[in-house]
Amino acid sequence: MATEHDRRDRLAAERADTPLVRLLDTARARGHEMVRPPDPTAPPAPSAPAAPRPLSTIRVGESPHSLAVSPDGTRLYVSDFKADSVVVVDLPREEVVDTVAVDDGPYGVAASPDGTRLHVAVPDTELLLKIEFPDDVSGSHFGHAPYGVAAGPDGQRVYLALALEDRVWVTDQFAMGDFASVPGLDFPVGVAVSPDEKYLYVTHYFAGRVSVVDLGRTSVISTIPVSNGPYGVTVTRDGSRLYVAHFPYGTVSVIDTARGEVTDTIAVADGSRGVAVSPDGSRLYVTDFFAGTVSVLRP
């Protein structure tokens, strides 16, 4: 019988996803338990009904990893891992209008609050990229492998999930500032910042939980149990809800931040990895990593 570990290894190898392979190998070397008995406190993944029909599906490339919505809600930015690019989608038309070539294997992507630039995490080359539109791409090599990235609401701070180091590093857009570090995390891969920048939400790929970090104290103050494989995470503009994509399980958890618990689970296409929400909260965008598409849903 194929285990959860076997499935993740196979998917990583088939897609030549070397950062994921490295993550799996590191977890195995540390003796991390890949297959766990069900956690009675964690909400189960839905078995029925089947994934609802999305409002629409946007073809964006070979292997869309992560995504971000522009502050005005008119653009969607999608990192295409295999194509070494960031795809720009015009959301009113739901059409690709530009493709920006970047370094090998882009992972996380975050938009600045003023909409003038993107931050892109590239773990294989230990690089933080900055894209200033229309096509000015620059990068900072800083000796660490960033898996996920989030931008603070004032644009001054960038949060990088250093999964292989079990921490999140807080820096600037050039990866030069050393503002803070949040240690003691467990293979963090996804990060999202609350609108008031008081809290950081961090997904732990192997642990089945989301950590809530108090940024004033740079320490974890609570954890939220979720289903297996939590990966991408996004927060609504009012800070009331989190959405967590579970890779490669085809589900998205909906979390009430005030209650600190999962309130719903949305079935989506297999290979859900990145997730973003529109500024008005009316649309949810989920990358279908294996289909080369983004699903548009009503949350």
Side-chain angles (χ1 to χ4, degrees):
M1 176 182 293
T3 66
E4 175 185 334
H5 189 189
D6 293 334
R7 186 183 186 198
R8 284 171 166 162
D9 272 351
R10 186 179 69 253
L11 294 175
E14 285 175 354
R15 297 288 166 166
D17 191 340
T18 52
L20 181 57
V21 170
R22 192 157 56 248
L23 199 67
L24 293 163
D25 288 346
T26 303
R28 186 184 300 112
R30 293 183 192 174
H32 204 287
E33 182 60 47
M34 299 292 186
V35 181
R36 310 180 308 281
D39 181 349
T41 67
S47 56
R53 186 181 182 87
L55 296 174
S56 59
T57 301
I58 308 169
R59 178 154 293 283
V60 291
E62 295 184 61
S63 51
H65 186 285
S66 297
L67 69 178
V69 182
S70 64
D72 63 4
T74 64
R75 292 288 188 269
L76 184 69
Y77 306 107
V78 187
S79 59
D80 189 336
F81 175 77
K82 287 188 71 176
D84 300 335
S85 63
V86 172
V87 176
V88 183
V89 177
D90 181 295
L91 282 177
R93 292 185 289 161
E94 295 192 347
E95 294 178 359
V96 173
V97 293
D98 194 12
T99 301
V100 182
V102 297
D103 214 72
D104 293 342
Y107 254 49
V109 59
S112 65
D114 61 5
T116 63
R117 62 187 182 276
L118 289 181
H119 307 287
V120 183
V122 188
D124 257 351
T125 50
E126 299 183 338
L127 183 68
L128 176 64
L129 287 176
K130 183 176 67 169
I131 301 174
E132 295 191 79
F133 297 107
D135 56 5
D136 182 14
V137 181
S138 59
S140 300
H141 290 274
F142 60 102
H144 305 276
Y147 278 67
V149 59
D154 63 0
Q156 299 303 307
R157 286 173 169 76
V158 175
Y159 299 83
L160 298 173
L162 305 183
L164 301 176
E165 300 177 29
D166 293 333
R167 68 185 178 109
V168 168
W169 184 42
V170 189
T171 183
D172 59 24
Q173 58 184 302
F174 307 103
M176 297 294 289
D178 188 7
F179 300 142
S181 181
V182 184
L185 303 171
D186 189 9
F187 292 102
V189 290
V191 284
V193 186
S194 65
D196 57 9
E197 210 169 3
K198 289 183 178 180
Y199 304 107
L200 185 72
Y201 303 102
V202 185
T203 57
H204 302 274
Y205 189 47
F206 301 113
R209 69 175 186 267
V210 175
S211 286
V212 182
V213 175
D214 183 318
L215 287 173
R217 293 183 284 169
T218 61
S219 61
V220 176
I221 57 172
S222 64
T223 58
I224 304 169
V226 295
S227 296
N228 289 346
Y231 205 96
V233 58
T234 190
V235 61
T236 56
R237 180 167 281 185
D238 64 2
S240 65
R241 291 187 307 282
L242 294 177
Y243 297 99
V244 178
H246 296 264
F247 180 74
Y249 301 101
T251 60
V252 173
S253 292
V254 184
I255 296 174
D256 183 307
T257 57
R259 292 159 56 184
E261 62 184 39
V262 175
T263 58
D264 194 13
T265 304
I266 304 170
V268 295
D270 192 32
S272 53
R273 198 163 187 176
V275 61
V277 63
S278 63
D280 64 2
S282 68
R283 294 292 185 269
L284 194 65
Y285 305 98
V286 184
T287 56
D288 310 320
F289 187 74
F290 305 123
T293 58
V294 169
S295 290
V296 183
L297 303 110
R298 182 177 291 110

